[in-house]
Amino acid sequence: MASKPGIFSDWPWKPLGSFKYVVLAPWVVHSIYSYAVKEETERDLTNLLFFPFMLWRILHNQIWITLSRYRTAKGNNLIVDKSIDFDQVDRESNWDEQIILHTQLSYIISMSMAGARGLPFWRTDGVVKTILLHMGPVEFLYYWFHRALHHYYLYSRYHSHHHSSIVTQPIYGI
């Protein structure tokens, strides 16, 4: 946790503890119900796939975390000659919060924007545009927002948690 936690330092579903995934239940139930009830021509597979994609992301992240911690414990390819301690594991136990938020935003955008429904599964021009947008403005903004987080006011309230662990783990990329 940050040394002086600021507003919005904790996720809104933190009091739910291990039951934090229940915040997705209304959207999951709605997407299953609407897919089952609607006519075949009106069905939208997009909403139905958000939850399985979220589960895949969680499994994928957990595999990399487990592999990294195994290799750290084994002593192969250490970046820092130090083993991971329990305090760091406890601090990083909320790595899936971003995935929950991303899934919620996906449901909200898909259900509120008419243009977000019924999109094709794959379009090469869309992939190229996404890559170019990510390489250009997204990386540029990410860099400057991260630099801003190193200002002493923001650092002590929000960003010090990011730098409090010595042993690097794949969780940091989330």
Side-chain angles (χ1 to χ4, degrees):
M1 184 51 75
S3 55
K4 300 177 193 173
I7 187 169
F8 302 124
S9 292
D10 286 328
W11 295 93
W13 46 81
K14 184 179 180 180
L16 296 173
S18 299
F19 298 106
K20 60 189 167 190
Y21 292 98
V22 80
V23 298
L24 297 172
W27 287 293
V28 173
V29 170
H30 178 269
S31 62
I32 292 170
Y33 175 77
S34 62
Y35 188 80
V37 172
K38 287 185 178 179
E39 298 285 328
E40 193 167 330
T41 57
E42 297 177 13
R43 287 184 183 163
D44 186 16
L45 192 60
T46 308
N47 284 344
L48 198 60
L49 291 177
F50 286 142
F51 190 68
F53 283 157
M54 181 200 75
L55 294 176
W56 171 251
R57 285 182 67 191
I58 290 170
L59 176 65
H60 182 257
N61 284 339
Q62 188 60 58
I63 288 169
W64 282 109
I65 291 165
T66 303
L67 179 64
S68 172
R69 288 187 178 158
Y70 168 74
R71 293 188 60 83
T72 299
K74 192 174 173 191
N76 293 351
N77 303 332
L78 292 177
I79 296 172
V80 178
D81 192 21
K82 185 177 179 186
S83 63
I84 190 168
D85 61 351
F86 290 111
D87 291 335
Q88 179 176 343
V89 173
D90 289 342
R91 270 194 314 272
E92 297 167 355
S93 65
N94 64 343
W95 59 268
D96 55 346
E97 308 287 359
Q98 295 265 343
I99 297 174
I100 294 172
L101 177 66
H102 182 260
T103 306
Q104 281 183 326
L105 292 174
S106 298
Y107 277 121
I108 291 169
I109 290 169
S110 177
M111 291 180 180
S112 62
M113 294 177 64
R117 282 180 236 138
L119 294 174
F121 187 71
W122 182 268
R123 281 186 53 182
T124 306
D125 62 331
V127 172
V128 170
K129 289 176 187 175
T130 302
I131 290 170
L132 291 174
L133 281 172
H134 184 76
M135 286 178 6
V138 172
E139 284 296 324
F140 176 79
L141 290 172
Y142 177 81
Y143 171 78
W144 285 106
F145 282 134
H146 190 227
R147 287 275 311 254
L149 285 172
H150 283 257
H151 183 272
Y152 68 92
Y153 179 82
L154 294 175
Y155 185 85
S156 64
R157 286 164 176 77
Y158 300 104
H159 198 61
S160 61
H161 173 78
H162 171 75
H163 291 282
S164 61
S165 299
I166 303 299
V167 181
T168 57
Q169 297 288 297
I171 302 168
Y172 297 140
I174 299 174

